[in-house]
Amino acid sequence: MKERTIWERIADNLRSRSIWMLHYCTGCGAVELPPSMTSRFDMERFGIMPMATPRQADILLITGYLNTKTLRRVIYTYEQMPDPKYVVGFGSCTINGGIYFDSYATVNRLDYYIPVDVYIAGCMPRPEAILEAFNYLMEKIRKGEANGWKRYKENYEWYKQNQIRSLGEVYVHDEFHE
Amino acid sequence: MTNSMNEAIEALGAFQPTIEVIDEREIKVSVSPDKVISTLELLKSLGYSHLSLLTCIDWIDDNQFELVYILFSWKDGGKFIVSTRIDRNNPRFVTVKEIWPVARFYEREIHEFFGVKFIGNDDMRPLFLELWDDKPPLRKDFDPLEYSKKKFPGREYRKDVLGEAKKIFRGEING
Ligand code: SF4
């Protein structure tokens, strides 16, 4: 891989210390986020802050099962986020479909559709596991290894093919998008 | 059973329903399809005016769909479950959206998930599914695992050679 310049390294260091997180709470695992954010585990001491809009967020946190309908919106959301952006897949549903592996509407692995930097295993993961994962993500950002957004650009055709194969069409037809 | 439920059962007698008492405040009434609307209207006029649920059950062995209307009374908390069976090969029924406007969403849902058509309700757009391309997913002859395998590729795991060798060693599986 290309050697990073000193400025990129500084930037990565700073990025890793102020991650704004868009939590796309699709599934039951989302219930572990309030304790992680509030006083007991206090995520914000690491510089992790919840963010309401994709256009200001660095992390897309997907907390559980995704069905086809949601996945379309998630892809929209992901594409609205500015680079660099990181995706955290949360819970076994994002890894292999979890207990919904045989459902007619639930996708079975998230990294097939958008690039995932860190997975958190568990159904559902404890706040400790969440903090551990964020620590790991920060480490990866500092080392310049959290390259999901670059992979998405380089392999855009592959991701698009997968999306279309499972969803039929990524375009969303509803009253908010037309 | 509450008094008003007894009265309702008496009033229903003309429709020759099969009555099954489920518990103190819950009664299941099975009637033939042509009497459903009058049964529902009668119960509504007797205070069972809240349509809690309209749903469908697939009895694939009998080749029938069962439509289930759950009516609730705010006066004494009584519940009537009105059920009827329709043909599975040509599933059609009349709409109740004139009696309960909310029913049109339940009917859309049943149309989407079971393929039952409701005559008189012409808004049969999909409610939950998007770009669905197979038979209605809650029918018993639809195989979700098969569909999932076709549509949503899963993760491939490397074979756990060591783990399996240990199991063979312990005699749990045949090598
Ligand atoms: S992994 Fe478990 S907790 Fe998380 S969304 Fe799936 S079922 Fe819910």
Side-chain angles (χ1 to χ4, degrees):
Chain A
M1 216 180 73
K2 202 163 68 136
E3 190 59 29
R4 288 181 303 155
T5 65
I6 181 85
W7 294 115
E8 274 167 337
R9 269 189 261 164
I10 291 173
D12 278 343
N13 241 303
L14 298 177
R15 271 175 201 144
S16 79
R17 284 177 165 79
S18 67
I19 38 192
W20 290 5
M21 160 183 83
L22 182 69
H23 36 298
Y24 201 111
C25 297
T26 54
C28 17
V31 79
E32 296 289 341
L33 280 178
S36 318
M37 282 182 203
T38 48
S39 49
R40 178 152 177 215
F41 291 97
D42 191 14
M43 230 175 198
E44 212 168 314
R45 69 200 148 115
F46 298 113
I48 306 167
M49 197 178 82
M51 180 36 67
T53 66
R55 291 178 216 278
Q56 275 90 29
D58 305 301
I59 296 192
L60 181 57
L61 180 74
I62 300 196
T63 70
Y65 44 74
L66 282 160
N67 60 29
T68 50
K69 201 169 177 175
T70 322
L71 184 58
R72 280 196 190 93
R73 277 83 182 165
V74 165
I75 294 168
Y76 265 50
T77 312
Y78 183 70
E79 300 205 342
Q80 280 176 26
M81 288 168 59
D83 295 339
K85 51 192 170 187
Y86 316 102
V87 180
V88 179
F90 184 115
S92 43
C93 280
T94 53
I95 300 175
N96 56 14
I99 55 175
Y100 304 105
F101 72 100
D102 63 348
S103 158
Y104 57 85
T106 311
V107 304
N108 282 353
R109 49 180 281 199
L110 177 59
D111 53 24
Y112 203 69
Y113 310 94
I114 54 176
V116 176
D117 294 294
V118 178
Y119 271 121
I120 313 176
C123 175
M124 43 197 64
R126 291 269 311 147
E128 289 93 332
I130 301 170
L131 292 185
E132 174 71 32
F134 276 113
N135 259 325
Y136 179 61
L137 178 68
M138 290 182 205
E139 193 69 45
K140 271 183 97 173
I141 296 174
R142 276 197 284 276
K143 287 192 195 145
E145 285 167 4
N147 285 328
W149 54 286
K150 285 188 195 153
R151 254 182 296 138
Y152 190 69
K153 280 187 194 159
E154 283 158 15
N155 307 312
Y156 187 73
E157 278 310 310
W158 186 79
Y159 283 109
K160 202 83 266 160
Q161 283 309 316
N162 293 345
Q163 291 165 3
I164 289 172
R165 179 173 183 272
S166 293
L167 301 180
E169 183 186 38
V170 183
Y171 198 74
V172 176
H173 299 276
D174 67 15
E175 63 259 53
F176 305 109
H177 295 94
E178 292 201 325
Chain B
M1 252 192 290
T2 61
N3 283 341
S4 84
M5 291 185 107
N6 276 327
E7 280 164 29
I9 288 177
E10 258 169 47
L12 282 178
F15 303 122
Q16 298 154 340
T18 319
I19 289 178
E20 189 187 330
V21 180
I22 293 173
D23 81 38
E24 206 178 322
R25 284 168 200 274
E26 199 165 324
I27 291 174
K28 181 170 175 182
V29 182
S30 312
V31 288
S32 61
D34 51 328
K35 296 185 185 125
V36 171
I37 300 297
S38 10
T39 308
L40 291 173
E41 269 172 346
L42 180 67
L43 284 172
K44 190 181 178 191
S45 70
L46 292 177
Y48 294 86
S49 57
H50 182 102
L51 178 70
S52 310
L53 185 67
L54 161 51
T55 188
C56 182
I57 303 166
D58 184 2
W59 297 100
I60 187 166
D61 291 339
D62 305 343
N63 206 11
Q64 280 174 331
F65 281 127
E66 180 177 3
L67 289 176
V68 180
Y69 299 78
I70 299 182
L71 305 184
F72 179 78
S73 159
W74 287 99
K75 276 192 221 131
D76 57 1
K79 216 187 246 178
F80 267 96
I81 303 172
V82 180
S83 114
T84 188
R85 295 216 179 187
I86 58 174
D87 183 18
R88 193 170 180 281
N89 295 332
N90 182 21
R92 290 161 166 276
F93 202 67
V94 280
T95 175
V96 292
K97 78 170 186 195
E98 272 80 32
I99 314 179
W100 289 283
V102 66
R104 60 185 201 277
F105 295 102
Y106 289 129
E107 288 172 359
R108 271 169 77 178
E109 183 187 348
I110 294 176
H111 176 255
E112 184 170 24
F113 284 103
F114 293 91
V116 180
K117 283 206 182 59
F118 286 90
I119 297 154
N121 184 351
D122 35 48
D123 180 13
M124 283 286 145
R125 282 173 299 157
L127 188 60
F128 296 110
L129 303 174
E130 286 180 348
L131 303 174
W132 183 253
D133 54 359
D134 212 307
K135 70 173 71 150
L138 289 191
R139 287 192 178 206
K140 289 266 161 65
D141 50 359
F142 170 76
D143 184 349
L145 180 58
E146 201 56 36
Y147 185 83
S148 172
K149 275 189 190 152
K150 188 176 81 192
K151 271 288 238 317
F152 314 121
R155 191 173 299 278
E156 307 233 320
Y157 290 99
R158 254 179 290 146
K159 208 173 172 192
D160 178 13
V161 184
L162 272 185
E164 256 177 36
K166 278 182 199 157
K167 279 190 188 158
I168 294 169
F169 185 69
R170 290 199 298 261
E172 286 166 18
I173 54 174
N174 292 327

